[in-house]
């Protein structure tokens, strides 16, 4: 069994890390917005669940132009969410409960309200202050055209003009100007930030958009022409490392520099990269002398298909091994449709069109979606490496696809001219109790409306109830800690089509039936199952662990 004590520098290699989106987790002061005190009060839920660590999505000062990822100060707490004292109390309580703390680091950009950016606006063209960001003159007779054709991930040009005529780069929202990572002050400031949170007891960092920091800013800046500019589509049609701003080779020297800072602590601070890059490129970010681990989004994006999943699992394990890292597995997070809904959508479904339909075209069988989600989770937790859980998945929460457009908060909605609905449906505040104005989220309402069926999903409604999704997670996580050893698996030969079957250390097995009909249950002692087993059969959309 892996040693998850604070003294083990490798605690993260096989950990289960629970993502808290602070504004939607728990609200202590009743203003409708989750906060750090609320999170601290609910940490016993995580300890009882059996996770090893929590990852806090941004809690920094922000105007919420991008859900907190527009950071005005990377070394402070948004006053609506608490204070640095509240953060210290959260870390202390987490450590008392045996939980590690990982915080989100947002190094590609700041908020336009950041002191440096305000200084840059005031200083004017050609100033030293502007060089910390990416300012350029426009094209056209009067500089009225953007410097390049680069596009924002959220839609539209990646350049915004300021009153004196220059333009600044924002790969995301206009309120998120990109830093110039060729600038020594930017690099030094983030070293200071790493030390600031590490000195406060943080155990690790999740690095946002880790593949975007280094950019080719040599003049003249390159147009993309007919090449895609958004991260998900940009890298399969260019030579590796050659895109002007995604996944450039120079980014790795930044992370080697960071690793020296992280390794100066005992135990060393861990880090995990959010990188949307091809599998072969992901290994570099996860090398021991860089961040050490990288998110595996191929797994998240793979549909409910045994052959496709087997291939991506095998590839992911090979990639992690080549890097000297452990594999990562994730099914849901704050940016994607929750897997209790996503896994029920027919292959090839346009998820945005589905969201725009309010989740009705196509319709989703919520009960079957939950059955698949439970099976998928039990499969994921049996895999070698680290599993990242997203708040509420332990309650079986589906995507809230029918949020009315007048309540939407995600900037994607407005930035795309109201053609992409955005990510609010997975960020609806959690239900803790069966009743109350926000089902126990806080004393008042919630910043996004919760559907009535959340009452039946609440922690209170599932706690201690045999067969509930909450109790399934608790059982699986308790068993996982006892069973997990080594970072390999062995696929079982033969077996019926549509079934994934592999063995782990000492021969315990995970078998998942992804077909639409029951199959014979292999011999062995049933340790845990995601659904009922009848007459020696493993039902459709069901996973079982066997000794």
């Amino acid at each position: 069994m892996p040693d998850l004590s604070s003294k083990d520098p490798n605690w993260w290699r096989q950990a289960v890390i629970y993502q808290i989106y602070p504004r939607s987790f728990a609200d202590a002061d009743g203003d409708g917005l989750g906060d750090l005190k609320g999170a601290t009060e609910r940490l016993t839920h995580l300890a009882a669940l059996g996770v090893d660590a929590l990852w806090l999505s941004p809690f920094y000062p922000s105007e919420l132009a991008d859900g907190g990822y527009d950071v005005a100060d990377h070394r402070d707490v948004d006053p609506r969410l608490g204070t640095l004292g509240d953060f210290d109390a959260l870390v202390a309580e987490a450590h008392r409960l045996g939980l590690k703390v990982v915080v989100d680091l947002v190094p590609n950009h700041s908020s336009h309200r950041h002191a440096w950016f305000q200084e840059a606006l005031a200083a004017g063209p050609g100033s030293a202050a502007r060089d910390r960001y990416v300012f350029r003159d426009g094209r056209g007779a009067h500089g009225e055209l953007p410097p390049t054709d680069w596009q924002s991930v959220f839609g539209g040009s990646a350049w915004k003009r300021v009153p004196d005529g220059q333009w600044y780069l924002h790969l995301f929202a206009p309120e998120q100007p990109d830093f110039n990572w060729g600038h020594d002050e930017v690099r030094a400031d983030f070293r200071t930030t790493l030390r600031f949170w590490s000195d406060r007891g943080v155990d690790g960092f999740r690095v946002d958009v880790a593949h975007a920091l280094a950019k080719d800013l040599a003049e003249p800046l390159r147009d993309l022409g007919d090449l895609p500019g958004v991260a998900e589509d940009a890298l399969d049609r260019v030579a590796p490392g050659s895109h002007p701003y995604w996944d450039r080779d120079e980014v790795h020297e930044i992370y080697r520099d960071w690793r020296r800072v992280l390794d100066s602590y005992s135990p060393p601070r861990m880090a995990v990269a959010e990188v949307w890059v091809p599998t072969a490129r992901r290994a570099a970010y996860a090398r021991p002398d860089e961040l050490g681990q990288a998110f595996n989004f191929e797994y998240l994006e793979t549909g409910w298909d045994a052959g496709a999943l087997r291939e991506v699992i095998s590839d992911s394990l090979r990639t992690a091994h080549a890097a000297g890292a452990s594999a990562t597995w994730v099914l849901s997070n704050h940016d994607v449709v929750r897997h209790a809904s996503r896994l029920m959508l027919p292959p090839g479904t346009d998820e945005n069109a589905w969201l725009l339909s309010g989740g009705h075209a196509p319709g989703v069988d919520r009960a079957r979606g939950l059955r698949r989600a439970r099976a998928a989770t039990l499969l994921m937790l049996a895999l070698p490496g680290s599993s990242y859980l997203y708040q509420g998945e332990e309650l079986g929460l589906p995507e809230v696809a029918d949020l009315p457009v007048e309540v939407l908060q995600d900037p994607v909605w407005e930035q795309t001219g109201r053609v992409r609905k955005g990510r609010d449906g997975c960020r609806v505040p959690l239900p803790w109790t069966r009743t109350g104005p926000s089902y126990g989220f806080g004393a008042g309402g919630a910043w996004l409306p919760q559907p009535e069926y959340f009452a039946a999903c609440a922690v209170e409604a599932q706690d201690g109830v045999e067969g509930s999704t909450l109790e399934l997670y608790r059982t699986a996580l308790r068993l996982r800690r006892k069973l997990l050893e080594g970072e390999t698996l062995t696929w079982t030969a033969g077996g019926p089509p549509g079934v994934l079957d592999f063995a782990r250390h000492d021969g315990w097995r995970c078998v998942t039936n992804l077909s639409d009909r029951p199959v014979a249950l292999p011999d062995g002692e049933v340790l845990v199952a995601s659904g009922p087993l009848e007459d020696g059969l493993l039902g459709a959309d069901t996973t079982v662990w066997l000794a």
Side-chain angles (χ1 to χ4, degrees):
M1 188 173 75
D3 176 10
L4 294 169
S5 74
S6 61
K7 297 179 181 179
D8 179 15
N10 295 315
W11 65 267
W12 50 271
R13 293 186 71 94
Q14 300 250 42
V16 177
I17 300 175
Y18 182 103
Q19 181 188 358
I20 290 178
Y21 190 73
R23 290 166 175 82
S24 297
F25 188 66
D27 172 22
D29 61 12
D31 66 353
L33 197 66
D35 46 46
L36 294 185
K37 284 185 177 179
T40 303
E41 291 170 359
R42 295 292 189 180
L43 289 181
T44 51
H45 171 70
L46 273 62
L49 192 61
V51 302
D52 304 304
L54 61 109
W55 150 29
L56 273 178
S57 289
F59 50 86
Y60 312 110
S62 171
E63 65 176 323
L64 303 182
D66 182 20
Y69 284 85
D70 48 312
V71 179
D73 186 340
H74 290 75
R75 298 191 289 272
D76 204 353
V77 174
D78 191 308
R80 291 166 294 182
L81 273 66
T83 64
L84 281 170
D86 294 329
F87 177 84
D88 293 340
L90 184 150
V91 173
E93 176 65 0
H95 287 167
R96 185 187 72 80
L97 293 168
L99 299 166
K100 301 289 192 298
V101 178
V102 176
V103 298
D104 229 310
L105 192 65
V106 187
N108 179 67
H109 47 259
S110 74
S111 166
H112 65 154
R113 295 184 175 182
H114 191 287
W116 274 4
F117 192 73
Q118 290 299 308
E119 180 186 355
L121 291 179
S127 63
R130 286 207 173 176
D131 198 34
R132 298 185 189 117
Y133 292 90
V134 183
F135 279 86
R136 290 292 186 276
D137 293 329
R139 297 186 294 191
H142 305 288
E144 71 277 12
L145 300 176
T148 69
D149 63 358
W150 299 353
Q151 295 292 295
S152 161
V153 172
F154 291 160
S157 174
W159 297 93
K160 181 176 174 63
R161 200 176 192 189
V162 299
D164 59 38
Q166 279 203 311
W167 300 72
Y168 67 85
L169 179 67
H170 61 89
L171 291 183
F172 293 88
E175 296 87 353
Q176 294 170 289
D178 280 43
F179 284 118
N180 170 17
W181 271 89
H183 198 296
D184 288 342
E185 285 186 53
V186 172
R187 297 192 178 210
D189 193 67
F190 272 90
R191 286 193 291 268
T192 299
T193 296
L194 290 170
R195 293 188 183 99
F196 179 86
W197 295 112
S198 296
D199 290 344
R200 299 190 96 90
V202 160
D203 302 285
F205 299 88
R206 178 263 189 189
V207 183
D208 185 62
V209 201
H211 59 305
L213 276 58
K215 299 175 176 70
D216 180 5
L217 299 178
E219 296 292 349
L221 298 181
R222 290 187 285 148
D223 276 342
L224 285 171
D226 64 349
L227 290 176
V230 297
E232 294 88 336
D233 307 319
L235 298 175
D236 57 356
R237 290 168 53 196
V238 297
S242 68
H243 193 278
Y245 49 85
W246 295 131
D247 189 37
R248 294 190 59 78
D249 292 336
E250 306 94 285
V251 78
H252 298 289
E253 68 179 82
I254 296 171
Y255 298 131
R256 286 191 287 272
D257 179 51
W258 285 16
R259 178 45 58 190
R260 288 188 284 273
V261 174
L262 300 175
D263 282 353
S264 69
Y265 290 85
S266 182
R269 286 1 184 192
M270 62 82 70
V272 58
E274 182 208 22
V275 287
W276 294 89
V277 298
T279 303
R281 298 282 294 179
R282 189 173 67 238
Y285 295 86
R287 289 180 294 207
D289 66 339
E290 293 193 30
L291 295 177
Q293 199 172 59
F295 278 126
N296 167 18
F297 293 119
E298 288 89 348
Y299 184 73
L300 182 152
E301 294 177 325
T302 302
W304 193 240
D305 177 86
L309 279 169
R310 176 168 174 160
E311 182 177 354
V312 78
I313 289 168
S314 297
D315 286 350
S316 300
L317 290 171
R318 280 193 295 268
T319 300
H321 180 75
S326 60
T328 63
W329 314 103
V330 60
L331 288 166
S332 287
N333 63 36
H334 64 292
D335 280 334
V336 300
V337 171
R338 285 187 177 273
H339 68 279
S341 297
R342 189 181 71 248
L343 292 176
M344 268 307 299
L345 295 174
T349 298
D350 181 331
E351 291 183 7
N352 181 60
W354 177 75
L355 289 171
L356 289 172
S357 78
H360 300 300
V364 170
D365 180 341
R366 197 185 302 159
R368 192 175 185 198
L370 178 58
R371 190 160 69 247
R372 282 192 176 178
R374 288 162 58 103
T377 293
L378 209 53
L379 166 63
M380 178 181 74
L381 292 175
L383 294 170
S386 296
S387 293
Y388 286 79
L389 310 181
Y390 179 51
Q391 64 178 41
E393 68 173 80
E394 77 279 15
L395 306 178
L397 295 186
E399 184 80 1
V400 183
D402 59 353
L403 287 171
V405 296
E406 60 268 19
V407 306
L408 298 181
Q409 305 286 323
D410 192 336
V412 167
W413 176 241
E414 296 293 345
Q415 188 81 6
T416 61
R418 300 190 171 191
V419 298
R420 284 171 53 193
K421 197 170 184 182
R423 301 158 293 181
D424 290 315
C426 67
R427 300 177 178 182
V428 175
L430 296 193
W432 295 92
T433 60
R434 294 185 181 93
T435 59
S438 59
Y439 301 111
F441 169 68
W447 67 280
L448 284 171
Q450 302 153 299
E452 290 183 1
Y453 61 77
F454 265 33
C457 299
V459 174
E460 181 183 56
Q462 298 192 47
D463 184 26
V465 177
E466 185 177 356
S468 71
T469 301
L470 176 58
E471 292 302 334
L472 172 66
Y473 270 73
R474 288 173 174 171
T475 299
L477 290 172
R478 184 171 62 250
L479 280 169
R480 183 184 188 274
R481 189 167 286 190
K482 293 178 181 177
L483 293 169
L484 214 59
E485 189 167 327
E487 294 183 10
T488 61
L489 59 76
T490 303
W491 294 106
T492 304
V499 174
L500 287 177
D501 185 348
F502 59 83
R504 293 296 314 277
H505 177 76
D506 285 342
W508 71 277
R509 292 169 71 181
C510 174
V511 186
T512 302
N513 181 9
L514 296 93
S515 73
D516 59 1
R517 64 192 65 186
V519 298
L521 184 65
D523 293 335
E525 176 193 355
V526 174
L527 301 175
V528 63
S530 66
L533 307 173
E534 297 180 5
D535 302 323
L537 297 176
L538 180 63
D541 300 330
T542 306
T543 297
V544 64
W545 293 0
L546 300 168

